[in-house]
């Protein structure tokens, strides 16, 4: 059998993986959720709450998502009930 340099592996033979040092798992990491402005103030304020989820434990995400969903539904519902226009003096 011929000798191969130590860094070469013959074809068809799996390369032996060197043991890697396990990274210390310090918990969840922020997703970096970015929120692009929509131009609608109430919608933008509601969506901005999504950024809060990055700073919470996973157990707190549901509350933020439900809050955002509720806010967006309220904004959409308000479109069905236009406010009376009052002229400016």
């Amino acid at each position: 059998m011929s000798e191969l340099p130590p860094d070469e592996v013959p074809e068809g033979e799996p390369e032996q993986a060197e043991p890697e040092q396990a990274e210390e798992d310090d918990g969840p990491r922020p997703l970096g959720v970015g929120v692009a402005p929509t131009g609608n103030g109430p919608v933008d304020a509601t969506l901005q709450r999504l950024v809060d989820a990055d700073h919470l434990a996973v157990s707190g995400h549901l509350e933020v998502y439900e809050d955002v969903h509720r806010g967006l539904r309220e904004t959409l519902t308000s479109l069905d009930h236009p406010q009376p226009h009052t002229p400016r003096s």
Side-chain angles (χ1 to χ4, degrees):
M1 189 178 235
S2 66
E3 288 291 319
L4 294 174
D7 60 339
E8 287 188 33
V9 176
E11 284 187 41
E13 291 186 29
E15 187 173 329
Q16 295 289 330
E18 291 187 29
E20 293 182 22
Q21 301 237 343
E23 287 186 28
E24 187 175 317
D25 186 16
D26 57 349
R29 289 171 184 72
L31 296 173
V33 174
V35 179
T38 66
N40 181 299
V43 170
D44 290 343
T46 301
L47 291 176
Q48 191 61 36
R49 282 273 292 137
L50 290 174
V51 176
D52 295 342
D54 264 0
H55 308 288
L56 299 173
V58 173
S59 61
H61 289 189
L62 181 60
E63 182 181 341
V64 172
Y65 297 153
E66 286 177 342
D67 183 46
V68 170
H69 185 252
R70 185 175 25 262
L72 292 175
R73 287 189 69 144
E74 288 171 2
T75 300
L76 286 173
T77 300
S78 73
L79 295 175
D80 291 336
H81 307 287
Q83 301 298 317
H85 179 70
T86 56
R88 293 184 181 187
S89 309

